[in-house]
Amino acid sequence: MIKLEKITFQYNGAAKPALVDICLSINPGEFVLVTGPSGSGKSTFCRTLNGLVPHFHGGTLSGTIEVAGLDPLSAGAGNMASRVGMVFQDPENQMVTTDVEHEICFGMENLSLAKDLMAKRMEETLDTMGISHLRHRPLNELSGGEKQRVAIASILALHPQVLVLDEPTSELDPKGADDVFSILSRLNDELGLTIIVVEHRLERIIQYADRFILLNEGRVVIDKPVREAMDRYTREILRNGIGLPPLINLHRLLKDKGIEPGRPPFTVKEGRQVFETVLKKALKPVYPVIHNNHSAPAVEMQNVSFAYPSGMAALKAINLSIGRGELVVIMGRNASGKTTLVKQLNRLLAPTKGKIKILGKEITGASTAEMSASVGLVFQNPQEHLFADSVKEEIAFGLKNKGLDGNEIKHISQQMLDKFGLSHLAHRYPRELSGGEKQRLALAAVMAGEPEILVLDEPTRCIEDRLKIELMHLLDDYRQQSKTVILITHDVELVARFACRVILMSEGRIIVDGDKHHVMSGALMFSPQINRLIQPYEKYGVPADILTAEEVVSAL
């Protein structure tokens, strides 16, 4: 089905190759998981399979490729489109129409399919992806997660032989991610569709994948059956910056303590069988003391509601206070109102009803430009930040607007380049970076201005575990300077490890607001894997609010 022999590729102007001597074969019907650190060549690898590399992106490629009987180098991206369907990291990058139905039809129309066939595929694709209720909605009114589902649907409608998905669940809530991977598994099992998925959150996908490929610096580091990789290569996976699924991590930590629980579990159900002896013990974990924040409010929202021009009510009577020096996480299903809420803070959106105070001052009538000095917002899609000609200029832009002199701008820019690991990319064009690199650049550009309130909308999408940990430590340092940090994320496992206060939203309302052990325990989708694992063992004295593998091990 797919064969790559000695593939090496280098982008024009790049200092080193993005892919180096890649040799591998993928059989028909395989479900392949590809992972690796930011900038390791994952997206480039995917784009060689349909001819986008080098035909669209440019650069020099050597070696031979065969995909579904064609050579992408000679066939070109247009001819490959009917055989290799690709869903990009940023769904907006592949959207060309104005509403959901037209978006799904667009590819089929370009393949000149008959109208009745298009109508049939439209219905089955809408049903498969669970988006029938969105069919007439304008694309610009959809949440990031909804756009991601539409992007996947538009490719599935083409019935490709190979489906390539680059971080397909990065903007989806936990249930949405589970639904997508369940759908992909069914397509793989029942239709024999060959599926290649790039993913950092391994706990979402390992139960479905047959094969595990880890790339770093453009080379294949690990290429093994997924069971073997999770059993024998965990230390190498960690060395390459990739986080282990919580169940696999618990298995590893127990083995380090001399406990041999059996084979590594991939699902919560398997975990209960593997860890039953351990979990029947009465565990008494000691959680860190969480100090209540009694500082002056940085954000106050009083009875805030908001409706879009279409009439859709996105926020309903929100009352919220966040203090200076707090780091607060906002979670919730896609389209629950999270992004709409934070856009009120810098007047990108103005409330239909209610009052908002920022740093003690009511902001009614203030402009977005005026608010940007106090409230820095890192968007869900980092592309929306990027417009300069180089990474260095991107960071310097906001500093110039603050009126800083040249030496200050140079000093602060270099600090941010070093802090976010972007120094080697200082002169690169921002839109040529990988998804994770773009994410770090957008954050660096906003943080350079040191806003009193920093808001980050899904800042950990497309980056590996090592960078997530560095980011959370950096945000905690920022908070300790009496700054306020508001983080929107679907990454349940990240929140379980690093958060203190968690706000859960649903249908435009705040459902619960409190300590993470209270908010995230005893649920289904918004509980981390370890908490779902231990829930049935409460009757044996296991505390019901354990969230992480480390908490289990510390309690033994």
Side-chain angles (χ1 to χ4, degrees):
M1 172 60 75
I2 298 172
K3 189 172 184 179
L4 290 83
E5 292 189 356
K6 296 186 177 299
I7 291 297
T8 296
F9 173 77
Q10 186 163 346
Y11 289 102
N12 294 328
K16 60 182 181 179
L19 298 176
V20 182
D21 201 27
I22 301 290
C23 297
L24 57 84
S25 297
I26 296 174
N27 296 320
E30 273 198 283
F31 194 130
V32 181
L33 162 61
V34 179
T35 192
S38 176
S40 61
K42 303 183 299 297
S43 296
T44 303
F45 165 74
C46 292
R47 293 175 188 191
T48 63
L49 303 180
N50 63 0
L52 286 176
V53 165
H55 292 299
F56 180 79
H57 294 281
T60 304
L61 189 146
S62 63
T64 60
I65 309 175
E66 182 182 330
V67 180
L70 294 178
D71 176 2
L73 296 178
S74 57
N79 290 321
M80 295 301 299
S82 62
R83 304 198 183 193
V84 181
M86 182 163 178
V87 180
F88 297 103
Q89 278 178 344
D90 295 316
E92 292 182 3
N93 287 352
Q94 65 191 87
M95 292 185 172
V96 293
T97 65
T98 57
D99 62 64
V100 172
E101 269 202 351
H102 284 93
E103 187 64 34
I104 295 173
C105 278
F106 181 80
M108 295 190 286
E109 289 171 341
N110 277 275
L111 294 178
S112 301
L113 300 185
K115 285 187 176 181
D116 58 343
L117 180 58
M118 285 198 292
K120 176 186 173 184
R121 289 192 184 181
M122 168 70 73
E123 296 305 319
E124 68 183 20
T125 304
L126 288 169
D127 288 341
T128 298
M129 293 305 301
I131 55 172
S132 296
H133 62 293
L134 300 177
R135 67 187 305 156
H136 301 301
R137 287 276 299 279
L139 295 175
N140 63 1
E141 288 188 5
L142 302 183
S143 70
E146 289 169 334
K147 288 177 182 175
Q148 205 145 20
R149 285 177 179 243
V150 173
I152 296 171
S154 68
I155 298 301
L156 284 180
L158 303 180
H159 285 201
Q161 296 177 45
V162 180
L163 183 58
V164 182
L165 304 103
D166 195 353
E167 299 277 1
T169 64
S170 61
E171 295 187 21
L172 295 178
D173 59 48
K175 184 180 185 304
D178 281 354
D179 289 347
V180 165
F181 283 129
S182 294
I183 291 165
L184 295 178
S185 179
R186 196 165 74 243
L187 292 170
N188 177 250
D189 288 344
E190 298 179 7
L191 302 181
L193 186 62
T194 303
I195 296 177
I196 300 168
V197 179
V198 173
E199 182 63 67
H200 285 118
R201 302 180 197 176
L202 304 189
E203 69 275 3
R204 292 182 163 187
I205 187 174
I206 59 167
Q207 62 180 300
Y208 304 111
D210 305 311
R211 185 168 166 190
F212 179 90
I213 296 175
L214 190 149
L215 297 176
N216 201 352
E217 297 184 344
R219 299 178 184 273
V220 175
V221 178
I222 300 172
D223 181 2
K224 297 291 179 182
V226 69
R227 285 277 177 190
E228 183 179 351
M230 291 298 112
D231 190 14
R232 298 176 55 194
Y233 291 86
T234 54
R235 297 192 187 281
E236 192 164 0
I237 291 169
L238 290 169
R239 276 198 301 271
N240 283 272
I242 306 303
L244 297 174
L247 294 173
I248 304 296
N249 191 39
L250 178 57
H251 186 273
R252 180 185 68 89
L253 293 173
L254 290 173
K255 283 182 71 174
D256 287 348
K257 284 190 168 290
I259 300 171
E260 293 289 343
R263 76 173 189 171
F266 280 15
T267 67
V268 171
K269 183 177 180 179
E270 284 183 16
R272 292 195 184 115
Q273 297 168 351
V274 171
F275 301 126
E276 183 174 27
T277 303
V278 173
L279 294 176
K280 282 187 175 180
K281 297 178 180 178
L283 308 182
K284 296 181 180 178
V286 178
Y287 302 128
V289 176
I290 298 173
H291 300 284
N292 292 324
N293 191 301
H294 298 296
S295 61
V299 174
E300 296 172 271
M301 305 183 79
Q302 300 173 7
N303 201 34
V304 170
S305 297
F306 176 82
Y308 284 98
S310 63
M312 185 184 75
L315 297 178
K316 303 169 186 176
I318 297 291
N319 290 288
L320 176 64
S321 178
I322 300 175
R324 295 177 190 244
E326 274 201 281
L327 193 159
V328 177
V329 174
I330 302 177
M331 304 185 74
R333 293 193 300 270
N334 289 118
S336 61
K338 305 181 299 295
T339 300
T340 303
L341 185 147
V342 297
K343 283 184 176 179
Q344 311 288 316
L345 305 183
N346 67 351
R347 299 289 293 182
L348 278 172
L349 296 174
T352 310
K353 180 182 178 183
K355 294 180 181 180
I356 300 175
K357 288 183 179 180
I358 298 295
L359 303 173
K361 295 181 180 179
E362 192 173 326
I363 63 172
T364 303
S367 68
T368 300
E370 290 170 335
M371 295 306 303
S372 64
S374 301
V375 182
L377 175 57
V378 182
F379 295 112
Q380 201 172 48
N381 182 355
Q383 295 263 108
E384 296 177 16
H385 289 270
L386 308 179
F387 54 86
D389 291 330
S390 73
V391 167
K392 197 169 186 177
E393 291 175 50
E394 198 74 58
I395 295 174
F397 178 81
L399 300 174
K400 291 176 182 176
N401 285 344
K402 290 184 71 174
L404 301 184
D405 64 41
N407 287 332
E408 286 180 296
I409 292 172
K410 185 177 179 180
H411 176 67
I412 295 172
S413 296
Q414 190 58 52
Q415 276 188 324
M416 301 310 290
L417 288 169
D418 293 341
K419 186 177 288 188
F420 286 91
L422 298 169
S423 295
H424 65 295
L425 302 170
H427 301 292
R428 285 280 300 276
Y429 182 53
R431 290 180 179 268
E432 291 179 349
L433 304 181
S434 72
E437 290 164 346
K438 289 176 184 175
Q439 201 79 34
R440 282 146 54 201
L441 175 56
L443 181 55
V446 173
M447 284 191 71
E450 296 189 331
E452 292 296 316
I453 300 168
L454 179 63
V455 183
L456 306 98
D457 196 350
E458 292 289 352
T460 61
R461 60 189 289 265
C462 305
I463 64 174
E464 69 272 21
D465 194 62
R466 177 163 52 205
L467 291 178
K468 289 180 186 180
I469 294 170
E470 291 175 5
L471 172 62
M472 294 309 294
H473 288 317
L474 189 151
L475 294 178
D476 190 58
D477 290 343
Y478 197 73
R479 174 196 67 78
Q480 291 183 38
Q481 301 169 33
S482 294
K483 310 285 191 184
T484 300
V485 180
I486 301 172
L487 174 66
I488 294 176
T489 185
H490 289 127
D491 194 337
V492 173
E493 304 300 339
L494 181 81
V495 177
R497 290 156 68 193
F498 294 104
C500 289
R501 179 181 172 189
V502 177
I503 294 170
L504 185 61
M505 294 188 67
S506 178
E507 297 182 345
R509 302 182 187 275
I510 292 176
I511 301 303
V512 61
D513 176 358
D515 169 69
K516 69 177 179 183
H517 287 99
H518 167 66
V519 176
M520 302 183 71
S521 59
L524 181 59
M525 289 301 171
F526 285 96
S527 287
Q529 265 195 341
I530 296 298
N531 186 259
R532 283 179 275 138
L533 172 74
I534 60 94
Q535 284 177 24
Y537 296 91
E538 187 178 358
K539 61 189 175 186
Y540 296 105
V542 177
D545 55 356
I546 289 178
L547 301 181
T548 67
E550 288 77 9
E551 289 178 358
V552 173
V553 173
S554 68
L556 289 174

